[in-house]
PDB file of all heavy atoms in Angstrom:
ATOM      1  N   PHE A  49      95.486  10.810 227.550  1.00  0.00           N
ATOM      2  CA  PHE A  49      94.049  11.085 227.514  1.00  0.00           C
ATOM      3  C   PHE A  49      93.555  11.337 226.070  1.00  0.00           C
ATOM      4  O   PHE A  49      92.370  11.548 225.834  1.00  0.00           O
ATOM      5  CB  PHE A  49      93.739  12.316 228.391  1.00  0.00           C
ATOM      6  CG  PHE A  49      92.279  12.505 228.670  1.00  0.00           C
ATOM      7  CD1 PHE A  49      91.530  11.522 229.306  1.00  0.00           C
ATOM      8  CD2 PHE A  49      91.635  13.673 228.301  1.00  0.00           C
ATOM      9  CE1 PHE A  49      90.172  11.702 229.561  1.00  0.00           C
ATOM     10  CE2 PHE A  49      90.271  13.860 228.557  1.00  0.00           C
ATOM     11  CZ  PHE A  49      89.551  12.865 229.190  1.00  0.00           C
ATOM     12  N   MET A  51      94.341  13.894 224.198  1.00  0.00           N
ATOM     13  CA  MET A  51      94.165  15.317 223.882  1.00  0.00           C
ATOM     14  C   MET A  51      95.250  15.802 222.936  1.00  0.00           C
ATOM     15  O   MET A  51      95.094  16.818 222.270  1.00  0.00           O
ATOM     16  CB  MET A  51      94.216  16.168 225.162  1.00  0.00           C
ATOM     17  CG  MET A  51      92.946  16.099 225.979  1.00  0.00           C
ATOM     18  SD  MET A  51      93.154  16.894 227.564  1.00  0.00           S
ATOM     19  CE  MET A  51      92.991  18.614 227.129  1.00  0.00           C
ATOM     20  N   ARG A  78      88.151   7.636 226.551  1.00  0.00           N
ATOM     21  CA  ARG A  78      87.886   8.612 227.618  1.00  0.00           C
ATOM     22  C   ARG A  78      86.844   8.136 228.622  1.00  0.00           C
ATOM     23  O   ARG A  78      86.792   8.629 229.737  1.00  0.00           O
ATOM     24  CB  ARG A  78      87.466   9.951 226.989  1.00  0.00           C
ATOM     25  CG  ARG A  78      88.667  10.623 226.362  1.00  0.00           C
ATOM     26  CD  ARG A  78      88.318  11.873 225.646  1.00  0.00           C
ATOM     27  NE  ARG A  78      89.526  12.494 225.106  1.00  0.00           N
ATOM     28  CZ  ARG A  78      89.529  13.494 224.253  1.00  0.00           C
ATOM     29  NH1 ARG A  78      88.390  13.989 223.833  1.00  0.00           N
ATOM     30  NH2 ARG A  78      90.666  14.000 223.814  1.00  0.00           N
ATOM     31  N   ARG A  79      86.043   7.175 228.202  1.00  0.00           N
ATOM     32  CA  ARG A  79      85.031   6.647 229.138  1.00  0.00           C
ATOM     33  C   ARG A  79      85.651   5.803 230.237  1.00  0.00           C
ATOM     34  O   ARG A  79      85.034   5.591 231.269  1.00  0.00           O
ATOM     35  CB  ARG A  79      83.998   5.816 228.383  1.00  0.00           C
ATOM     36  CG  ARG A  79      83.068   6.687 227.602  1.00  0.00           C
ATOM     37  CD  ARG A  79      82.084   5.885 226.812  1.00  0.00           C
ATOM     38  NE  ARG A  79      81.286   6.794 225.988  1.00  0.00           N
ATOM     39  CZ  ARG A  79      80.155   6.470 225.430  1.00  0.00           C
ATOM     40  NH1 ARG A  79      79.668   5.268 225.576  1.00  0.00           N
ATOM     41  NH2 ARG A  79      79.501   7.350 224.707  1.00  0.00           N
ATOM     42  N   PHE A  88      90.686  20.947 232.014  1.00  0.00           N
ATOM     43  CA  PHE A  88      89.372  20.375 231.775  1.00  0.00           C
ATOM     44  C   PHE A  88      88.361  21.187 232.595  1.00  0.00           C
ATOM     45  O   PHE A  88      88.109  20.915 233.757  1.00  0.00           O
ATOM     46  CB  PHE A  88      89.467  18.924 232.234  1.00  0.00           C
ATOM     47  CG  PHE A  88      88.337  18.048 231.858  1.00  0.00           C
ATOM     48  CD1 PHE A  88      88.376  16.707 232.218  1.00  0.00           C
ATOM     49  CD2 PHE A  88      87.251  18.512 231.153  1.00  0.00           C
ATOM     50  CE1 PHE A  88      87.351  15.861 231.895  1.00  0.00           C
ATOM     51  CE2 PHE A  88      86.227  17.677 230.824  1.00  0.00           C
ATOM     52  CZ  PHE A  88      86.283  16.346 231.199  1.00  0.00           C
ATOM     53  N   LYS A  89      87.835  22.225 231.948  1.00  0.00           N
ATOM     54  CA  LYS A  89      87.072  23.250 232.684  1.00  0.00           C
ATOM     55  C   LYS A  89      85.695  22.771 233.154  1.00  0.00           C
ATOM     56  O   LYS A  89      85.127  21.839 232.604  1.00  0.00           O
ATOM     57  CB  LYS A  89      86.888  24.473 231.787  1.00  0.00           C
ATOM     58  CG  LYS A  89      88.183  25.195 231.517  1.00  0.00           C
ATOM     59  CD  LYS A  89      87.906  26.471 230.763  1.00  0.00           C
ATOM     60  CE  LYS A  89      89.170  27.254 230.521  1.00  0.00           C
ATOM     61  NZ  LYS A  89      90.045  26.667 229.509  1.00  0.00           N
ATOM     62  N   ARG A  92      80.454  26.979 233.628  1.00  0.00           N
ATOM     63  CA  ARG A  92      80.138  28.049 234.594  1.00  0.00           C
ATOM     64  C   ARG A  92      78.649  28.363 234.693  1.00  0.00           C
ATOM     65  O   ARG A  92      78.196  28.909 235.667  1.00  0.00           O
ATOM     66  CB  ARG A  92      80.926  29.309 234.226  1.00  0.00           C
ATOM     67  CG  ARG A  92      82.395  29.194 234.595  1.00  0.00           C
ATOM     68  CD  ARG A  92      83.213  30.196 233.857  1.00  0.00           C
ATOM     69  NE  ARG A  92      83.146  29.914 232.419  1.00  0.00           N
ATOM     70  CZ  ARG A  92      83.595  30.718 231.487  1.00  0.00           C
ATOM     71  NH1 ARG A  92      84.122  31.867 231.823  1.00  0.00           N
ATOM     72  NH2 ARG A  92      83.531  30.399 230.211  1.00  0.00           N
ATOM     73  N   ARG A  94      76.327  26.181 234.872  1.00  0.00           N
ATOM     74  CA  ARG A  94      75.620  25.041 235.464  1.00  0.00           C
ATOM     75  C   ARG A  94      75.896  24.961 236.960  1.00  0.00           C
ATOM     76  O   ARG A  94      76.865  25.532 237.456  1.00  0.00           O
ATOM     77  CB  ARG A  94      76.084  23.720 234.832  1.00  0.00           C
ATOM     78  CG  ARG A  94      76.012  23.667 233.341  1.00  0.00           C
ATOM     79  CD  ARG A  94      74.579  23.532 232.868  1.00  0.00           C
ATOM     80  NE  ARG A  94      74.525  23.731 231.434  1.00  0.00           N
ATOM     81  CZ  ARG A  94      74.756  22.780 230.548  1.00  0.00           C
ATOM     82  NH1 ARG A  94      75.033  21.562 230.942  1.00  0.00           N
ATOM     83  NH2 ARG A  94      74.687  23.044 229.266  1.00  0.00           N
ATOM     84  N   GLU A 105      75.712  11.452 232.173  1.00  0.00           N
ATOM     85  CA  GLU A 105      74.726  11.608 231.093  1.00  0.00           C
ATOM     86  C   GLU A 105      75.348  11.247 229.739  1.00  0.00           C
ATOM     87  O   GLU A 105      74.717  10.586 228.931  1.00  0.00           O
ATOM     88  CB  GLU A 105      74.214  13.052 231.042  1.00  0.00           C
ATOM     89  CG  GLU A 105      73.247  13.377 232.173  1.00  0.00           C
ATOM     90  CD  GLU A 105      72.984  14.858 232.329  1.00  0.00           C
ATOM     91  OE1 GLU A 105      73.576  15.669 231.596  1.00  0.00           O
ATOM     92  OE2 GLU A 105      72.183  15.215 233.211  1.00  0.00           O
ATOM     93  N   CYS A 109      73.963   6.918 231.264  1.00  0.00           N
ATOM     94  CA  CYS A 109      73.568   6.377 232.569  1.00  0.00           C
ATOM     95  C   CYS A 109      72.091   6.706 232.857  1.00  0.00           C
ATOM     96  O   CYS A 109      71.656   7.826 232.604  1.00  0.00           O
ATOM     97  CB  CYS A 109      74.483   7.022 233.612  1.00  0.00           C
ATOM     98  SG  CYS A 109      74.512   6.147 235.148  1.00  0.00           S
ATOM     99  N   ARG A 150      83.794  14.998 239.377  1.00  0.00           N
ATOM    100  CA  ARG A 150      83.374  14.727 238.000  1.00  0.00           C
ATOM    101  C   ARG A 150      84.228  13.621 237.363  1.00  0.00           C
ATOM    102  O   ARG A 150      83.721  12.784 236.609  1.00  0.00           O
ATOM    103  CB  ARG A 150      83.496  16.022 237.184  1.00  0.00           C
ATOM    104  CG  ARG A 150      82.955  15.933 235.783  1.00  0.00           C
ATOM    105  CD  ARG A 150      83.125  17.242 235.045  1.00  0.00           C
ATOM    106  NE  ARG A 150      84.527  17.617 234.910  1.00  0.00           N
ATOM    107  CZ  ARG A 150      84.950  18.728 234.299  1.00  0.00           C
ATOM    108  NH1 ARG A 150      84.081  19.575 233.798  1.00  0.00           N
ATOM    109  NH2 ARG A 150      86.234  19.007 234.206  1.00  0.00           N
TER     110      ARG A 150
ATOM    111  N   GLN B   3      66.054   6.576 226.052  1.00  0.00           N
ATOM    112  CA  GLN B   3      66.613   7.520 227.025  1.00  0.00           C
ATOM    113  C   GLN B   3      67.564   8.494 226.318  1.00  0.00           C
ATOM    114  O   GLN B   3      67.567   9.693 226.594  1.00  0.00           O
ATOM    115  CB  GLN B   3      67.350   6.745 228.109  1.00  0.00           C
ATOM    116  CG  GLN B   3      67.768   7.626 229.275  1.00  0.00           C
ATOM    117  CD  GLN B   3      68.866   6.996 230.081  1.00  0.00           C
ATOM    118  OE1 GLN B   3      68.906   5.781 230.245  1.00  0.00           O
ATOM    119  NE2 GLN B   3      69.778   7.804 230.579  1.00  0.00           N
ATOM    120  N   TYR B   7      67.067  12.464 226.092  1.00  0.00           N
ATOM    121  CA  TYR B   7      68.109  13.394 226.514  1.00  0.00           C
ATOM    122  C   TYR B   7      68.495  14.332 225.359  1.00  0.00           C
ATOM    123  O   TYR B   7      68.681  15.537 225.549  1.00  0.00           O
ATOM    124  CB  TYR B   7      69.326  12.616 227.023  1.00  0.00           C
ATOM    125  CG  TYR B   7      70.381  13.511 227.621  1.00  0.00           C
ATOM    126  CD1 TYR B   7      70.133  14.173 228.831  1.00  0.00           C
ATOM    127  CD2 TYR B   7      71.588  13.727 226.979  1.00  0.00           C
ATOM    128  CE1 TYR B   7      71.075  15.026 229.371  1.00  0.00           C
ATOM    129  CE2 TYR B   7      72.549  14.581 227.522  1.00  0.00           C
ATOM    130  CZ  TYR B   7      72.288  15.220 228.719  1.00  0.00           C
ATOM    131  OH  TYR B   7      73.217  16.068 229.258  1.00  0.00           O
ATOM    132  N   ARG B  14      66.745  22.799 225.121  1.00  0.00           N
ATOM    133  CA  ARG B  14      67.522  23.710 225.968  1.00  0.00           C
ATOM    134  C   ARG B  14      68.370  24.638 225.093  1.00  0.00           C
ATOM    135  O   ARG B  14      68.471  25.836 225.351  1.00  0.00           O
ATOM    136  CB  ARG B  14      68.412  22.900 226.926  1.00  0.00           C
ATOM    137  CG  ARG B  14      68.955  23.753 228.058  1.00  0.00           C
ATOM    138  CD  ARG B  14      69.807  22.954 228.997  1.00  0.00           C
ATOM    139  NE  ARG B  14      70.913  22.347 228.295  1.00  0.00           N
ATOM    140  CZ  ARG B  14      71.666  21.368 228.796  1.00  0.00           C
ATOM    141  NH1 ARG B  14      71.402  20.880 229.984  1.00  0.00           N
ATOM    142  NH2 ARG B  14      72.667  20.859 228.112  1.00  0.00           N
ATOM    143  N   GLU B 203      81.992  25.378 224.681  1.00  0.00           N
ATOM    144  CA  GLU B 203      82.632  24.943 225.919  1.00  0.00           C
ATOM    145  C   GLU B 203      82.012  23.624 226.416  1.00  0.00           C
ATOM    146  O   GLU B 203      82.724  22.695 226.790  1.00  0.00           O
ATOM    147  CB  GLU B 203      82.470  26.034 226.977  1.00  0.00           C
ATOM    148  CG  GLU B 203      83.523  25.939 228.055  1.00  0.00           C
ATOM    149  CD  GLU B 203      83.470  27.126 228.991  1.00  0.00           C
ATOM    150  OE1 GLU B 203      82.363  27.487 229.422  1.00  0.00           O
ATOM    151  OE2 GLU B 203      84.549  27.683 229.287  1.00  0.00           O
ATOM    152  N   GLU B 204      80.688  23.590 226.362  1.00  0.00           N
ATOM    153  CA  GLU B 204      79.970  22.382 226.798  1.00  0.00           C
ATOM    154  C   GLU B 204      80.338  21.193 225.908  1.00  0.00           C
ATOM    155  O   GLU B 204      80.554  20.084 226.391  1.00  0.00           O
ATOM    156  CB  GLU B 204      78.461  22.644 226.728  1.00  0.00           C
ATOM    157  CG  GLU B 204      77.632  21.477 227.205  1.00  0.00           C
ATOM    158  CD  GLU B 204      76.145  21.682 226.958  1.00  0.00           C
ATOM    159  OE1 GLU B 204      75.742  22.791 226.574  1.00  0.00           O
ATOM    160  OE2 GLU B 204      75.395  20.712 227.153  1.00  0.00           O
ATOM    161  N   VAL B 207      83.742  19.943 226.822  1.00  0.00           N
ATOM    162  CA  VAL B 207      83.688  19.186 228.079  1.00  0.00           C
ATOM    163  C   VAL B 207      83.081  17.797 227.838  1.00  0.00           C
ATOM    164  O   VAL B 207      83.591  16.784 228.325  1.00  0.00           O
ATOM    165  CB  VAL B 207      82.888  19.970 229.149  1.00  0.00           C
ATOM    166  CG1 VAL B 207      82.555  19.103 230.351  1.00  0.00           C
ATOM    167  CG2 VAL B 207      83.683  21.195 229.603  1.00  0.00           C
ATOM    168  N   LYS B 209      83.087  16.099 225.082  1.00  0.00           N
ATOM    169  CA  LYS B 209      84.073  15.276 224.353  1.00  0.00           C
ATOM    170  C   LYS B 209      85.084  14.684 225.320  1.00  0.00           C
ATOM    171  O   LYS B 209      85.481  13.534 225.209  1.00  0.00           O
ATOM    172  CB  LYS B 209      84.811  16.138 223.318  1.00  0.00           C
ATOM    173  CG  LYS B 209      84.065  16.319 222.020  1.00  0.00           C
ATOM    174  CD  LYS B 209      84.954  17.097 221.069  1.00  0.00           C
ATOM    175  CE  LYS B 209      84.255  17.392 219.757  1.00  0.00           C
ATOM    176  NZ  LYS B 209      85.061  18.305 218.932  1.00  0.00           N
ATOM    177  N   MET B 210      85.518  15.502 226.272  1.00  0.00           N
ATOM    178  CA  MET B 210      86.502  15.062 227.272  1.00  0.00           C
ATOM    179  C   MET B 210      85.947  13.942 228.139  1.00  0.00           C
ATOM    180  O   MET B 210      86.690  13.128 228.670  1.00  0.00           O
ATOM    181  CB  MET B 210      86.877  16.223 228.192  1.00  0.00           C
ATOM    182  CG  MET B 210      87.571  17.341 227.489  1.00  0.00           C
ATOM    183  SD  MET B 210      89.212  16.841 227.084  1.00  0.00           S
ATOM    184  CE  MET B 210      89.917  18.392 226.693  1.00  0.00           C
ATOM    185  N   MET B 211      84.628  13.958 228.303  1.00  0.00           N
ATOM    186  CA  MET B 211      84.012  12.951 229.169  1.00  0.00           C
ATOM    187  C   MET B 211      83.673  11.676 228.420  1.00  0.00           C
ATOM    188  O   MET B 211      83.093  10.758 228.989  1.00  0.00           O
ATOM    189  CB  MET B 211      82.730  13.519 229.775  1.00  0.00           C
ATOM    190  CG  MET B 211      83.011  14.550 230.830  1.00  0.00           C
ATOM    191  SD  MET B 211      81.486  15.369 231.220  1.00  0.00           S
ATOM    192  CE  MET B 211      82.013  16.315 232.623  1.00  0.00           C
ATOM    193  N   GLY B 212      83.970  11.642 227.143  1.00  0.00           N
ATOM    194  CA  GLY B 212      83.722  10.427 226.380  1.00  0.00           C
ATOM    195  C   GLY B 212      82.396  10.410 225.639  1.00  0.00           C
ATOM    196  O   GLY B 212      81.899   9.331 225.310  1.00  0.00           O
TER     197      GLY B 212
END
Side-chain angles (χ1 to χ4, degrees):
Chain A
F49 193 59
M51 283 171 79
R78 287 176 178 169
R79 286 178 185 197
F88 191 179
K89 292 186 178 73
R92 285 162 296 170
R94 307 286 170 84
E105 286 167 358
C109 198
R150 186 181 62 180
Chain B
Q3 189 200 325
Y7 187 69
R14 195 179 58 195
E203 203 172 46
E204 182 188 351
V207 168
K209 278 184 183 172
M210 296 287 194
M211 287 169 171

